[in-house]
Amino acid sequence: MPVASVSTDPIPAAERFDWWCDLVWQDVARTIITSDHAAAFQAGAETADLGLVKVTAMHFAPIRSLRTRSLIRQSDPEVYELTLIKGDPMWLSQRRNDTAARAGDLLLWDTSQPFDGGVCGDHAEAIIVHLPRSALSLPSDRIDRLVAQRMPATRGMGAILAAFLTEVLGQASACRPQDLNTLGTVTLDLASAFLAQRVDATRRLSPETRREVLAARITAFIDRNLADPGLTPAVVAAQHHISLRSLHLLFQPSGESVAATIRRRRLERCRRDLADPRLRHRTIGETAARWGFHRPADFSRAFRGAYGLTPSELRARTPESDEGPAPR
């Protein structure tokens, strides 16, 4: 299975904490785990195997986790764990560094070095990219500088990586095996680029990684500017200081042109909004214009071609909500 999900819910309450500790030992690294919530422990995880890397989304009751030199000698997967914090803050001590990271930060730790860490709050939630040392082209001594350092992921490469990780698990289950390997390569490239930027080592990235990173930046730019009716391939190329030909070549492996990508992503946003009962106060024309379609006939034709029904037919199938309108 490309995506595996587990939860403590079907486990007898008295066995849940030990079950979770065993899971962490097997799938992450051997650590000594303690918790004030062991008697009523709740947790869950979803893991996507992407070939070169694995990505795991976890949620769990507050714990403290200690990895000792003795445990490292027993077993070391030799992996860097790059963690996107989604819930309450987490703290980490490793390699004489001490830090606390909050939601929206990235935090790196190394299975080959002792560490001590835990949760500052009532609910832990995170997405972890498991990066094998052997798969990274960056020098270990440079990566080690980033261990137990809070790295905000609200802009630039950090924001691109965080958005990608948030979406990748939801898409992996619908992917073919070859697509999963592609996702793994992209994940590794984006993580490598983020780390390289933090230690000023971008020149060490391979040409393939540079192309993947540029493609991710362009996709993020497109998503941020879908509402602009003037968003065209020429504008995208100019904003990224590349020729229009280079832009088309960059998109060629995906089998979808730049213009088709812009149109598809606009239609996806329109479909999402039209299916949201909280947004019924917006007319179909307003929804279309919000995402860059300013000619109703063109929008209706494109929508029907993509989804096999008109915008009004989709809205008619959507039940009304009791929650009231969403904020404008």
Side-chain angles (χ1 to χ4, degrees):
M1 294 290 291
V3 179
S5 299
V6 295
S7 171
T8 56
D9 291 347
I11 308 298
E15 301 174 14
R16 289 177 180 176
F17 182 66
D18 289 340
W19 177 86
W20 180 256
C21 293
D22 288 341
L23 181 71
V24 172
W25 271 51
Q26 295 171 17
D27 291 353
V28 184
R30 295 186 178 185
T31 58
I32 300 169
I33 302 175
T34 56
S35 176
D36 293 337
H37 303 263
F41 197 77
Q42 290 187 317
E46 186 176 31
T47 298
D49 188 342
L50 306 179
L52 288 173
V53 300
K54 290 196 303 182
V55 178
T56 302
M58 286 185 171
H59 63 89
F60 47 93
I63 62 171
R64 181 171 181 174
S65 185
L66 176 68
R67 183 158 167 81
T68 65
R69 293 192 182 279
S70 175
L71 290 174
I72 293 169
R73 286 193 295 269
Q74 292 177 30
S75 173
D76 183 14
E78 297 186 354
V79 168
Y80 286 107
E81 307 286 4
L82 184 59
T83 304
L84 175 64
I85 311 299
K86 303 281 284 184
D88 286 340
M90 297 183 183
W91 61 272
L92 177 67
S93 297
Q94 189 172 46
R95 291 184 62 87
R96 299 182 180 179
N97 293 330
D98 299 282
T99 193
R102 57 178 181 265
D105 291 340
L106 284 157
L107 188 62
L108 184 71
W109 51 280
D110 178 7
T111 65
S112 299
Q113 297 288 333
F115 68 79
D116 191 7
V119 179
C120 309
D122 300 320
H123 176 71
E125 185 176 352
I127 300 175
I128 304 173
V129 190
H130 311 278
L131 299 168
R133 283 175 171 269
S134 59
L136 289 169
S137 59
L138 301 172
S140 295
D141 61 333
R142 293 206 181 188
I143 301 177
D144 288 344
R145 300 176 194 173
L146 301 176
V147 167
Q149 299 282 355
R150 174 178 169 262
M151 298 180 285
T154 55
R155 57 187 300 179
M157 276 305 306
I160 292 172
L161 177 59
F164 181 83
L165 294 179
T166 301
E167 187 176 2
V168 70
L169 279 166
Q171 300 299 327
S173 59
C175 290
R176 300 170 300 173
Q178 58 267 41
D179 296 330
L180 291 172
N181 290 330
T182 300
L183 276 178
T185 299
V186 174
T187 303
L188 178 63
D189 287 343
L190 291 179
S192 297
F194 172 74
L195 296 174
Q197 190 178 63
R198 298 289 302 191
V199 294
D200 195 25
T202 53
R203 293 181 181 179
R204 293 178 176 266
L205 297 175
S206 69
E208 292 78 12
T209 296
R210 293 171 186 266
R211 283 195 292 271
E212 291 288 358
V213 170
L214 178 58
R217 284 177 173 163
I218 289 173
T219 300
F221 173 81
I222 289 172
D223 283 345
R224 289 195 306 271
N225 292 277
L226 289 174
D228 181 1
L231 182 65
T232 64
V235 169
V236 173
Q239 286 291 325
H240 292 84
H241 310 291
I242 61 175
S243 68
L244 190 57
R245 180 176 181 276
S246 296
L247 178 66
H248 288 311
L249 288 173
L250 190 67
F251 273 66
Q252 197 172 60
S254 70
E256 185 178 61
S257 69
V258 185
T261 297
I262 294 172
R263 183 172 60 251
R264 173 178 58 80
R265 296 177 90 86
R266 281 174 168 162
L267 288 170
E268 289 171 350
R269 299 307 190 280
C270 290
R271 184 184 188 187
R272 180 195 65 189
D273 286 1
L274 290 171
D276 189 340
R278 301 172 302 166
L279 298 177
R280 281 184 174 271
H281 61 281
R282 289 186 188 150
T283 68
I284 291 175
E286 288 172 341
T287 298
R290 181 171 184 259
W291 294 111
F293 291 102
H294 287 267
R295 296 168 63 98
D298 291 344
F299 168 64
S300 183
R301 184 165 50 252
F303 193 93
R304 182 163 193 154
Y307 301 117
L309 73 171
T310 66
S312 58
E313 288 171 341
L314 174 66
R315 174 160 276 182
R317 296 181 182 184
T318 304
E320 295 190 19
S321 171
D322 296 330
E323 299 178 10
R328 289 183 180 271

